[in-house]
């Protein structure tokens, strides 16, 4: 019975061994951004200096991007910036080296990955849009920016039209005020003419020297 337990334990360790070993040490070949997903459109979470040692946790089968660990942080780096030691020489990490290097093929899910590593990041609150794909996020953001620009332009146009209407109204008011003032002056002039006595309108009295003219 004891031997049976030993065999079962050994078998369990053998089953776990590949999972434990499925990772590889790599090196960055340039100052490269470690990103929150397998695309240059995902947010950058750190910069890995050239020549730094990284742990390759897995890579995608359809695109050459790998999930790596750097100083306790996790993120994604393109395989074209990562090398690993294979048969005493450094090679760029690509699909043909995944199995020989012990790198597992993995999948990427924004929800699972970001829940695990990026809950404290500002971009985490937008994970619903990012989860569709980064292109959708940028299209959505561009649409929102365009809508905002359209609203600003419409607001400026309305403001400009209102200013134009105000100027027209001020101009009309000024003209009407000038017309009223001219009319009042003309009426005053006519009244003034009526008030001035015309000597010919006076009745002359006998002996009045002014009637001799």
């Amino acid at each position: 019975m004891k031997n049976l337990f030993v065999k079962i334990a050994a078998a369990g360790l053998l089953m776990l061994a590949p999972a434990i070993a499925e990772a590889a040490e790599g090196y960055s070949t340039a100052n490269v951004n470690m990103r929150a997903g397998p695309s240059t459109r995902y947010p950058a979470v750190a910069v890995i200096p050239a020549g730094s040692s990284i742990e390759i946790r897995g890579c995608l089968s359809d695109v050459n991007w790998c999930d790596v660990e750097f100083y306790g942080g996790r993120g994604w780096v393109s395989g074209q910036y990562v090398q690993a030691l294979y048969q005493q020489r450094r090679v760029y990490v690509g699909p043909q080296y995944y199995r020989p290097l012990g790198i597992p093929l993995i999948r990427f899910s924004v929800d699972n990955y970001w829940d695990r590593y990026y809950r404290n990041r500002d971009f985490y609150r937008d994970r619903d849009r990012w989860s569709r794909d980064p292109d959708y996020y940028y299209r959505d953001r561009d649409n929102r920016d365009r809508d905002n620009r359209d609203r600003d332009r419409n607001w400026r146009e309305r403001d400009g039209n209102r200013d134009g209407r105000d100027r027209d109204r001020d101009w009309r008011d000024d003209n009407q005020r000038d017309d009223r003032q001219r009319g009042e002056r003309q009426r005053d002039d006519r009244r003034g003419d009526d008030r001035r006595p015309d000597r010919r309108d006076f009745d002359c009295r006998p002996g009045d020297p002014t009637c001799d003219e």
Side-chain angles (χ1 to χ4, degrees):
M1 180 65 68
K2 184 177 180 180
N3 291 335
L4 179 60
F5 285 126
V6 171
K7 290 179 181 179
I8 293 173
L13 290 174
L14 288 174
M15 292 177 64
L16 291 174
I20 296 173
E22 283 183 341
E25 185 178 5
Y27 306 88
S28 62
T29 61
N31 295 332
V32 61
N33 284 320
M34 184 170 69
R35 297 188 174 273
S39 169
T40 56
R41 297 180 75 86
Y42 282 103
V45 297
V47 176
I48 303 176
S52 299
S53 176
I54 58 177
E55 193 75 16
I56 305 170
R57 294 297 181 183
C59 298
L60 301 177
S61 59
D62 51 345
V63 291
N64 189 19
W65 279 78
C66 297
D67 176 19
V68 303
E69 182 176 353
F70 175 68
Y71 276 97
R74 290 288 287 271
W76 292 80
V77 176
S78 172
Q80 63 180 331
Y81 297 109
V82 178
Q83 287 184 334
L85 192 62
Y86 176 70
Q87 295 181 351
Q88 306 303 314
R89 62 190 179 92
R90 287 189 177 185
V91 296
Y92 281 95
V93 173
Q96 69 274 28
Y97 294 111
Y98 292 168
R99 184 179 294 275
L101 291 172
I103 300 173
L105 293 177
I106 59 175
R107 296 181 180 181
F108 172 70
S109 167
V110 167
D111 293 333
N112 294 336
Y113 199 87
W114 286 22
D115 281 345
R116 187 176 300 174
Y117 301 115
Y118 301 136
R119 282 183 173 272
N120 62 336
R121 297 282 185 159
D122 290 339
F123 54 78
Y124 180 79
R125 63 176 176 266
D126 295 326
R127 65 190 180 282
D128 291 337
R129 290 201 299 272
W130 282 105
S131 63
R132 303 183 186 186
D133 64 62
D135 291 331
Y136 178 89
Y137 171 80
Y138 278 98
R139 284 195 302 270
D140 186 39
R141 189 191 65 177
D142 292 342
N143 289 336
R144 285 183 282 117
D145 290 344
R146 184 170 59 252
D147 291 342
N148 290 335
R149 289 194 297 271
D150 289 342
R151 282 195 295 270
D152 290 343
R153 184 171 60 252
N154 292 336
W155 179 82
R156 289 194 299 271
E157 289 175 354
R158 286 196 300 269
D159 234 26
N161 292 336
R162 186 169 60 249
D163 291 343
R165 289 194 298 270
D166 290 343
R167 285 193 297 271
D168 291 341
R169 186 169 57 251
D170 292 342
W171 179 81
R172 288 194 300 269
D173 291 344
D174 290 342
N175 284 342
Q176 292 172 357
R177 185 168 55 252
D178 291 343
D179 291 341
R180 284 196 301 271
Q181 290 174 351
R182 282 195 297 271
E184 291 172 356
R185 284 197 298 271
Q186 290 173 357
R187 286 194 297 272
D188 290 342
D189 291 343
R190 285 195 297 271
R191 284 196 298 269
D193 292 340
D194 292 341
R195 286 193 298 268
R196 283 198 302 271
D198 191 341
R199 287 169 54 187
R200 290 173 297 182
D201 293 338
F202 285 104
D203 294 331
C204 293
R205 296 180 178 180
D208 189 343
T210 58
C211 294
D212 297 336
E213 297 180 0

